[in-house]
C-alpha cells in the first residue's frame, strides 16, 4: 500500500493545481476574446483614419464612425455567448445575432461606399456570420469561403482604389479586413480545444476520485472483514469451551480482544494514510489542544518542516500530546521539531505529577516505538522527578509507510 501515501500526499497539490487551471482557462478566454475585439476596433479606427486622410466631409465620416462603433458593440453579444454555447441552440438567436447582422450591413454599406472598398463592404456581414452558432465543422468551411471572397475583393480593390490612393493605412485596412474572419474563427477554434481539454481534465479528476473511493472501500472491507471473521471464530470457540474448560475459554476471549484491538489499530492506520496533515499543522494543533487544557505550551518548528515525514511523525505528535494530557502535570509543555545530521528529531517535554507513564507496559509508548521503528528511527524516553521527555528520531530520507 505504498502508493496510498503517495496519492494522499498529492491530493492537496492536485486541488491547488485544479484551481489554477480553472482560473487559467478563464484568463485564456479573455485573451482570445480581447484579440477579436482589438482587431474589430482596428478595422473601425482604420476606416475613420482613411476617411480623414482622404478629405471626406464630416458627415460621411461621422456616419461611418457611428455605425462602426454600433457594429462593434453588437458583435460583443454573440462573442460573449460563445463561451457557453451549446450545440442544442439554434443557428440564429434573434436577440443575439440579429443586431450584429443588421448593423454589419449598415456599417459595410456606409464604409464601403465612402471609401470605395468592396472588401470593407463585405467584411462586417461576414464577421457577423461567422459568430453564428454553426454546427461543428460548418464554421471552418464558411470561413474558407469567406476568406476566398474577401481575397478576391481585395484584389479588385487593389487594382481600382488602392492603385490611385497609395495611402499606407488603406493597405493595412484592406489586409486586416481580409484576415479578420479567419482570425476570429481560429480564436474560437482554439477556445473549443481548450474547453475540451478542461472537460477531459475534470472528467479525469472525477474518475480518479471515484476509483480512490472504491479502493478505500475495498481496503476497509478487507481489513474489517478479516478481523471480524477471526473475532467471530474466537468467540464461537470461547462459547463452546467456557462450560467445560473455562481457562481455555477465557484465553479465547482474551485473543478476541486482541483481535479487536488489532482491527481498531489497523483502521486507525488506514485512516491516517488518507488524512496526512503537514507536521507544522500537527504541532500547531497539539499546542492549541494543550493550551485549551490550561497547559503553558510552546513549539519550536524547523523552517523546513514541510520536508519532514508526516506519515511517521504525525501519529507520534498526536500520541505524545495525548500522553501529556493524560499523565502530565498540566503546568507546561515544550515541543520541538529539528533536523540535524540527516535525521528529523521530534522532542516533547512536560511536567509530571505522581508516577510517569510506563514506557514498557503502556500501549501509547508502545505505539510510538512501533511508529519510530517503521520509519527506521528510534524512541528515547527520559524522566526525572518533575520532567518527562519523549524523543523520536527518524532518517531524513525515510520513505513513508503505506
Amino acid at each position: 500500500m505504498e502508493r496510498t501515501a503517495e496519492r494522499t500526499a498529492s491530493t492537496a497539490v492536485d486541488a491547488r493545481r485544479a484551481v489554477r487551471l480553472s482560473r487559467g482557462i478563464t484568463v485564456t478566454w479573455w485573451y482570445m476574446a480581447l484579440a477579436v475585439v482589438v482587431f474589430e476596433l482596428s478595422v473601425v479606427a482604420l476606416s475613420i483614419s482613411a476617411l480623414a486622410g482622404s478629405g471626406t466631409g464630416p458627415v460621411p465620416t461621422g456616419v461611418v464612425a457611428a455605425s462602426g462603433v454600433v457594429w462593434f458593440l453588437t458583435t460583443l453579444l454573440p462573442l460573449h455567448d460563445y463561451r457557453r454555447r451549446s450545440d442544442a441552440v439554434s443557428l440564429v438567436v434573434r436577440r443575439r445575432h440579429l443586431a450584429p447582422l443588421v448593423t454589419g450591413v449598415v456599417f459595410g454599406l456606409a464604409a464601403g461606399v465612402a471609401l470605395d472598398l468592396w472588401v470593407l463592404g463585405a467584411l462586417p456581414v461576414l464577421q457577423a456570420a461567422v459568430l453564428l452558432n454553426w454546427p461543428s465543422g460548418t464554421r471552418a468551411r464558411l470561413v474558407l469561403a469567406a476568406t476566398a471572397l474577401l481575397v478576391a475583393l481585395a484584389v479588385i480593390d487593389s487594382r481600382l482604389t488602392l492603385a490611385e490612393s497609395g495611402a499606407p493605412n488603406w493597405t493595412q485596412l484592406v489586409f486586416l479586413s481580409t484576415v479578420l474572419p479567419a482570425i476570429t474563427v481560429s480564436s474560437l477554434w482554439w477556445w473549443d480545444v481548450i474547453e475540451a481539454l478542461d472537460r477531459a481534465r475534470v472528467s479525469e479528476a472525477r474518475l480518479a476520485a471515484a476509483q480512490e473511493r472504491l479502493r478505500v472501500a475495498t481496503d476497509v472491507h478487507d481489513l474489517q472483514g478479516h478481523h471480524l471473521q477471526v473475532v467471530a471464530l474466537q468467540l464461537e470457540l470461547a462459547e463452546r469451551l467456557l462450560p467445560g474448560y473455562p481457562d481455555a475459554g477465557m484465553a479465547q476471549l482474551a485473543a478476541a480482544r486482541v483481535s479487536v484491538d488489532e482491527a481498531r489499530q489497523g483502521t486507525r492506520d488506514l485512516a491516517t494514510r488518507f488524512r496526512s496533515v503537514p507536521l507544522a499543522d500537527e504541532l500547531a494543533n497539539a499546542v492549541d489542544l494543550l493550551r485549551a487544557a490550561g497547559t503553558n505550551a510552546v513549539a519550536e518548528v524547523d523552517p523546513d518542516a514541510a520536508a519532514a515525514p508526516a506519515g511517521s511523525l504525525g501519529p507520534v505528535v498526536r500520541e505524545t500530546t495525548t500522553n501529556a494530557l493524560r499523565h502530565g502535570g498540566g503546568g507546561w509543555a515544550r515541543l520541538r521539531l529539528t533536523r540535524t545530521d540527516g535525521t528529523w528529531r521530534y522532542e516533547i517535554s512536560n511536567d509530571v505529577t505522581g508516577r510517569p507513564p510506563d514506557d514498557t507496559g503502556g500501549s501509547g509508548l508502545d505505539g510510538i516505538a512501533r511508529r519510530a521503528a517503521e520509519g527506521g528511527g528510534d524512541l528515547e524516553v527520559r524522566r526525572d522527578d518533575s520532567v518527562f521527555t519523549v524523543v523520536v528520531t527518524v532518517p531524513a530520507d525515510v520513505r513513508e509507510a503505506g
Side-chain angles (χ1 to χ4, degrees):
M1 298 180 65
E2 184 174 335
R3 296 180 181 176
T4 301
E6 297 176 356
R7 292 173 181 169
T8 304
S10 64
T11 301
V13 177
D14 292 340
R16 290 193 294 268
R17 186 179 302 166
V19 173
R20 289 196 299 269
L21 287 174
S22 298
R23 294 174 179 173
I25 191 174
T26 301
V27 173
T28 301
W29 162 255
W30 286 113
Y31 277 145
M32 291 184 295
L34 183 62
V36 176
V37 167
V38 168
F39 281 116
E40 288 183 347
L41 279 176
S42 298
V43 170
V44 176
L46 288 174
S47 300
I48 299 173
S49 177
L51 285 173
S54 63
T56 306
V59 175
T61 303
V63 172
V64 171
S67 60
V69 171
V70 174
W71 166 72
F72 158 73
L73 292 175
T74 55
T75 57
L76 297 180
L77 297 175
L79 185 62
H80 177 271
D81 291 345
Y82 191 86
R83 182 180 176 185
R84 294 179 176 86
R85 78 182 186 99
S86 171
D87 293 336
V89 180
S90 59
L91 175 63
V92 179
V93 179
R94 182 172 300 180
R95 293 177 298 176
R96 296 289 184 174
H97 296 134
L98 187 59
L101 287 171
V102 172
T103 55
V105 172
V106 174
F107 173 58
L109 288 175
V113 171
L115 293 170
D116 197 16
L117 291 176
W118 288 92
V119 67
L120 187 57
L123 167 67
V125 178
L126 294 176
Q127 175 70 1
V130 298
L131 292 174
L132 298 179
N133 193 29
W134 296 98
S136 178
T138 304
R139 181 179 279 106
R141 293 191 292 269
L142 173 66
V143 76
L144 289 176
T147 302
L149 174 61
L150 291 172
V151 169
L153 294 176
V155 172
I156 295 174
D157 290 331
S158 64
R159 298 191 175 211
L160 297 179
T161 304
L162 300 184
E164 299 177 359
S165 173
N169 57 343
W170 285 48
T171 304
Q172 298 171 3
L173 177 60
V174 171
F175 174 76
L176 187 57
S177 300
T178 303
V179 300
L180 179 58
I183 292 174
T184 302
V185 172
S186 63
S187 298
L188 298 180
W189 172 82
W190 183 245
W191 168 251
D192 290 339
V193 172
I194 295 297
E195 192 177 33
L197 291 175
D198 186 65
R199 287 197 299 266
R201 177 188 61 80
V202 173
S203 299
E204 183 182 9
R206 291 175 178 173
L207 179 60
Q211 291 175 338
E212 189 71 6
R213 286 193 294 268
L214 179 61
R215 191 175 61 82
V216 173
T218 301
D219 290 345
V220 173
H221 175 270
D222 293 343
L223 175 68
Q224 296 290 348
H226 167 74
H227 286 289
L228 289 176
Q229 184 177 10
V230 172
V231 170
L233 291 175
Q234 291 170 333
L235 291 177
E236 182 179 356
L237 183 58
E239 184 180 9
R240 295 179 180 180
L241 291 174
L242 279 174
Y245 306 93
D247 293 340
M250 292 301 296
Q252 291 300 320
L253 289 177
R257 181 177 179 180
V258 172
S259 297
V260 171
D261 290 338
E262 291 177 351
R264 182 175 57 186
Q265 183 62 44
T267 304
R268 184 184 303 163
D269 293 342
L270 182 62
T272 299
R273 298 188 187 104
F274 292 95
R275 294 188 289 108
S276 181
V277 178
L279 277 178
D281 294 341
E282 288 280 13
L283 291 167
N285 292 337
V287 169
D288 291 341
L289 183 61
L290 291 168
R291 288 176 178 174
T295 303
N296 182 16
V298 294
E300 301 177 17
V301 183
D302 190 280
D304 297 329
S312 299
L313 291 180
V316 171
V317 173
R318 292 190 291 270
E319 190 66 43
T320 54
T321 303
T322 301
N323 285 346
L325 289 172
R326 289 179 178 176
H327 307 291
W332 61 271
R334 183 177 66 251
L335 295 79
R336 296 182 62 191
L337 177 66
T338 57
R339 180 172 182 172
T340 56
D341 299 331
T343 62
W344 283 100
R345 174 187 173 94
Y346 166 71
E347 176 182 336
I348 178 171
S349 301
N350 60 273
D351 62 332
V352 291
T353 57
R355 184 176 180 272
D358 184 7
D359 62 330
T360 58
S363 60
L365 291 179
D366 287 342
I368 295 172
R370 186 179 68 255
R371 290 285 186 182
E374 290 174 355
D378 299 310
L379 169 67
E380 178 186 356
V381 179
R382 299 195 302 265
R383 66 187 65 181
D384 57 30
D385 294 338
S386 60
V387 180
F388 183 74
T389 303
V390 175
V391 180
V392 175
T393 57
V394 295
D397 58 350
V398 62
R399 296 184 63 183
E400 298 287 1

